[in-house]
Amino acid sequence: MPGSTPELTRNAVDVLPEGRLAEQLQGERPLRVKLGIDPTTADIHLGHTVVLGKLAEFQAAGHTVVLIVGDFTARVGDPSGRSASRPVPTPEEIEANATTYQEQAFKLLDPARTEVRRNGEWLDMRLDELLRLMGTTTVARLLERDDFQKRMAANAPIAAHELLYPLLQGYDSVAVEADVELGGTDQKFNLLFGRDVQSAYGRPQQSIMTLPILVGTDGVRKMSKSLGNYVGVTDPPAEMFGKLMSIPDEAMDEYFRLLLGEDGRPPGPPNQAKRELGRRLVERFHGAGAGAAAEAAFDRVFVERSVPDDIPAVDLGGYLGDGDGAVHLPRLLAGAFGISSSEARRLLAGGGVKLDGEPLAADPLDLPAAALAGRVLQVGKRRFARLHAAG
RNA sequence: GGGGGAGUGCCCGAGUGGUUAAAGGGGACUGGCUGUAAACCAGUUGGCUCUGCCUACAGAGGUUCGAAUCCUCUCUCCCCCA
């Protein structure tokens, strides 16, 4: 099969066992390359796309991608990198997420060369089958992983079912006859464990490849929805561009390398490089032309300090006081921006609220609707609302 | 099953009867500077019909003029023994 080892292993951290992938690539048969994603949150973010991008490379080389949507494993919760058991999403949430995941994954993957499977197909097994699966390993093996060692050292709980996670993920590999499995570096234990499960079931063992974990927009912690430092692949262009502009300079090299396949960030002023990063990633997810448009919109707001094109409209009608035609600002701000009215008061007092670009005093908390209608209310640098007269 | 320890605001963590909406740190937000970077400076960080009121220190009840702090029961977690 085509696809040279050096190309396909670019950016990889571990490719194990040594030399195995190269052998597999010598074969005649397209490889079955597996990735499992648990639909525990609604969005795929750029961090996931590091691995998805690698899968796309395998596809381009003629191999088959097996994307496993972990509708069943989502109920267990992957302990990887976790210092606590995670909250379990409801079946409805899992189902909703599972659907959008496929859509989002196809922003990078070729649907024609992707086999999408849900692991509920085979993991919802009889107890005797589960016992057989559990019998393939030992408690010591399951506990030897780092995250558990840390939890034990910290006296943090480990739920019994969490122990099963690697077995279940490994069984996925048996079920789909995976030749290769990809994952983040935090998946190394699970991926290697899959090999043991495969061999216990008399199947050929997969090789594994781990890829670096992308740092979030804060430049410190890994990108994750729950940490709020993520860029979602479905984020609107302006938001995506803006988030990318806010990453620390130090993170740029990594973004260029892992997301764009470059050797690092281009030379020149950091600001220019970051703009290029933003443009190119927006193009990738929103199509040609979207990048330049997002950049232009960004400049209007942050360089020219003017108001973005499409901002939400707020009808003053719902905020009028008792008959006197006055609008209570805290309530208006609360309704328009989804903050509490107490927070709105604080922002007013701190000079964080503007009307048509002019700071709004906290002194009169009630303003006549006539003084607000048609004007633009702004909180901080990036939250806007256009006010409309009642009616 | 027996014994011991612990549960505080977004997170960590101080506080063991009274000026405690609760020290300190982190994070976040706002303002300044700027490249929506970093660093730095300043402010804010429970809610509301906001010179006041309400809710809050796992939950419920109780003692007290007054409780996060004392008592009882419940729930959850950790450790040791079995």
Side-chain angles (χ1 to χ4, degrees), chain A residues 156-186:
Chain A
I158 297 168
H161 69 279
E162 290 184 87
L163 287 175
L164 258 41
Y165 193 90
L167 279 167
L168 300 181
Q169 181 170 338
Y171 192 78
D172 287 348
S173 291
V174 172
V176 304
E177 302 185 333
D179 297 306
V180 184
E181 180 166 8
L182 304 197
T185 48
D186 58 352

Coordinates of all heavy atoms in Angstrom, one line a residue, chain A residues 156-186:
Chain A
A156 N -7.9 9.4 46.2 CA -9.1 9.7 45.4 C -9.7 8.4 45.0 O -9.1 7.4 44.8 CB -8.7 10.6 44.2
P157 N -11.0 8.5 44.9 CA -11.7 7.2 44.6 C -11.5 6.8 43.1 O -11.3 7.6 42.2 CB -13.2 7.6 44.8 CG -13.3 9.1 44.6 CD -12.0 9.6 45.1
I158 N -11.6 5.5 42.9 CA -11.6 4.9 41.6 C -12.8 4.0 41.5 O -12.9 3.0 42.3 CB -10.3 4.0 41.4 CG1 -9.1 4.9 41.4 CG2 -10.4 3.3 40.0 CD1 -7.8 4.1 41.5
A159 N -13.7 4.4 40.7 CA -15.0 3.6 40.6 C -14.6 2.2 39.9 O -13.8 2.2 39.0 CB -16.0 4.3 39.9
A160 N -15.3 1.2 40.4 CA -14.9 -0.2 39.9 C -15.2 -0.2 38.4 O -14.3 -0.8 37.6 CB -15.8 -1.2 40.6
H161 N -16.2 0.4 37.9 CA -16.5 0.3 36.4 C -15.4 1.0 35.6 O -15.2 0.7 34.4 CB -17.9 0.8 36.1 CG -18.1 2.2 36.2 ND1 -18.3 2.9 37.4 CD2 -18.0 3.2 35.3 CE1 -18.4 4.2 37.2 NE2 -18.2 4.4 35.9
E162 N -14.7 2.0 36.2 CA -13.7 2.7 35.5 C -12.5 1.7 35.1 O -11.9 1.9 34.1 CB -13.1 3.8 36.3 CG -14.1 5.0 36.4 CD -13.4 6.1 37.2 OE1 -12.8 7.0 36.5 OE2 -13.5 6.2 38.4
L163 N -12.4 0.7 35.9 CA -11.3 -0.3 35.6 C -11.6 -1.0 34.3 O -10.6 -1.4 33.6 CB -11.3 -1.3 36.7 CG -10.7 -0.9 38.1 CD1 -10.9 -2.1 39.1 CD2 -9.2 -0.6 37.9
L164 N -12.8 -1.1 33.9 CA -13.2 -1.8 32.8 C -12.9 -1.1 31.5 O -12.9 -1.7 30.4 CB -14.7 -2.2 32.8 CG -15.1 -3.6 33.2 CD1 -14.3 -4.1 34.4 CD2 -16.6 -3.6 33.6
Y165 N -12.7 0.2 31.6 CA -12.6 1.0 30.4 C -11.7 0.5 29.3 O -12.0 0.3 28.2 CB -12.3 2.5 30.7 CG -12.6 3.4 29.5 CD1 -13.8 3.9 29.3 CD2 -11.6 3.5 28.5 CE1 -14.0 4.7 28.1 CE2 -11.8 4.3 27.4 CZ -13.0 4.9 27.2 OH -13.3 5.6 26.1
P166 N -10.4 0.2 29.7 CA -9.5 -0.3 28.7 C -9.9 -1.6 28.1 O -9.6 -1.8 26.9 CB -8.2 -0.4 29.4 CG -8.4 0.0 30.8 CD -9.8 0.4 31.0
L167 N -10.5 -2.4 28.9 CA -11.0 -3.7 28.3 C -12.0 -3.5 27.2 O -12.0 -4.1 26.2 CB -11.6 -4.5 29.4 CG -10.6 -5.3 30.3 CD1 -11.3 -5.8 31.6 CD2 -10.0 -6.5 29.5
L168 N -12.9 -2.5 27.5 CA -14.0 -2.2 26.5 C -13.4 -1.6 25.3 O -13.8 -2.0 24.2 CB -15.0 -1.3 27.1 CG -15.7 -1.8 28.4 CD1 -16.8 -0.8 28.9 CD2 -16.4 -3.2 28.1
Q169 N -12.5 -0.7 25.5 CA -11.9 -0.1 24.3 C -11.1 -1.1 23.5 O -11.1 -1.1 22.3 CB -11.0 1.1 24.7 CG -10.3 1.8 23.6 CD -9.6 3.1 23.9 OE1 -9.9 3.7 25.0 NE2 -8.7 3.5 23.1
G170 N -10.4 -2.0 24.2 CA -9.7 -3.0 23.6 C -10.6 -4.0 22.8 O -10.3 -4.4 21.7
Y171 N -11.7 -4.2 23.3 CA -12.7 -5.1 22.7 C -13.2 -4.5 21.4 O -13.5 -5.2 20.4 CB -13.8 -5.5 23.6 CG -14.7 -6.6 23.1 CD1 -14.3 -7.9 23.2 CD2 -15.9 -6.4 22.5 CE1 -15.0 -9.0 22.7 CE2 -16.7 -7.4 22.0 CZ -16.2 -8.7 22.1 OH -17.0 -9.7 21.6
D172 N -13.3 -3.2 21.4 CA -13.6 -2.5 20.1 C -12.7 -2.9 19.0 O -13.1 -3.1 17.9 CB -13.5 -0.9 20.3 CG -14.6 -0.3 21.1 OD1 -15.6 -1.0 21.4 OD2 -14.5 0.9 21.5
S173 N -11.4 -3.0 19.4 CA -10.4 -3.3 18.4 C -10.6 -4.7 17.9 O -10.4 -5.0 16.7 CB -9.0 -3.2 19.0 OG -8.7 -1.8 19.2
V174 N -11.0 -5.6 18.8 CA -11.4 -7.0 18.4 C -12.5 -6.9 17.4 O -12.5 -7.5 16.3 CB -11.7 -7.8 19.6 CG1 -12.2 -9.2 19.2 CG2 -10.5 -8.0 20.5
A175 N -13.6 -6.2 17.8 CA -14.8 -6.2 17.0 C -14.6 -5.6 15.6 O -15.3 -6.1 14.7 CB -15.9 -5.4 17.8
V176 N -13.8 -4.6 15.5 CA -13.6 -4.0 14.2 C -12.4 -4.5 13.4 O -12.1 -4.0 12.4 CB -13.7 -2.5 14.2 CG1 -14.9 -2.0 14.9 CG2 -12.4 -1.9 14.9
E177 N -11.7 -5.4 14.1 CA -10.5 -6.0 13.5 C -9.5 -4.8 13.1 O -9.1 -4.7 11.9 CB -10.8 -6.8 12.2 CG -11.8 -7.9 12.6 CD -12.1 -8.9 11.5 OE1 -12.0 -8.5 10.3 OE2 -12.3 -10.1 11.8
A178 N -9.1 -4.0 14.0 CA -8.3 -2.9 13.8 C -6.8 -3.4 13.5 O -6.3 -4.3 14.2 CB -8.3 -2.0 15.0
D179 N -6.2 -2.7 12.5 CA -4.8 -3.0 12.3 C -3.9 -1.9 13.0 O -2.8 -2.2 13.3 CB -4.5 -2.9 10.8 CG -5.2 -4.0 10.0 OD1 -5.1 -5.1 10.3 OD2 -6.0 -3.6 9.1
V180 N -4.5 -0.7 13.1 CA -3.8 0.4 13.7 C -4.8 1.1 14.5 O -5.9 1.3 14.1 CB -3.2 1.3 12.6 CG1 -2.4 2.4 13.3 CG2 -2.4 0.6 11.6
E181 N -4.3 1.6 15.7 CA -5.2 2.5 16.4 C -4.5 3.8 16.8 O -3.4 3.8 17.2 CB -5.8 1.8 17.7 CG -6.7 2.8 18.5 CD -7.5 2.1 19.6 OE1 -7.3 0.9 19.9 OE2 -8.4 2.8 20.1
L182 N -5.2 4.9 16.6 CA -4.6 6.2 16.9 C -5.2 6.8 18.1 O -6.3 6.4 18.5 CB -4.8 7.2 15.7 CG -4.4 6.8 14.3 CD1 -4.3 8.1 13.5 CD2 -3.0 6.2 14.3
G183 N -4.5 7.7 18.7 CA -5.1 8.4 19.9 C -4.1 9.4 20.4 O -3.0 9.5 19.9
G184 N -4.5 10.2 21.3 CA -3.6 11.2 21.9 C -2.6 10.5 22.8 O -2.8 9.3 23.1
T185 N -1.6 11.2 23.2 CA -0.6 10.5 24.1 C -1.2 10.0 25.4 O -0.8 9.1 26.0 CB 0.6 11.5 24.5 OG1 0.0 12.7 24.9 CG2 1.4 11.8 23.2
D186 N -2.3 10.7 25.8 CA -3.0 10.2 27.1 C -3.7 8.9 26.9 O -4.1 8.3 27.8 CB -3.9 11.3 27.6 CG -5.0 11.6 26.5 OD1 -4.9 11.2 25.4 OD2 -6.0 12.4 26.9

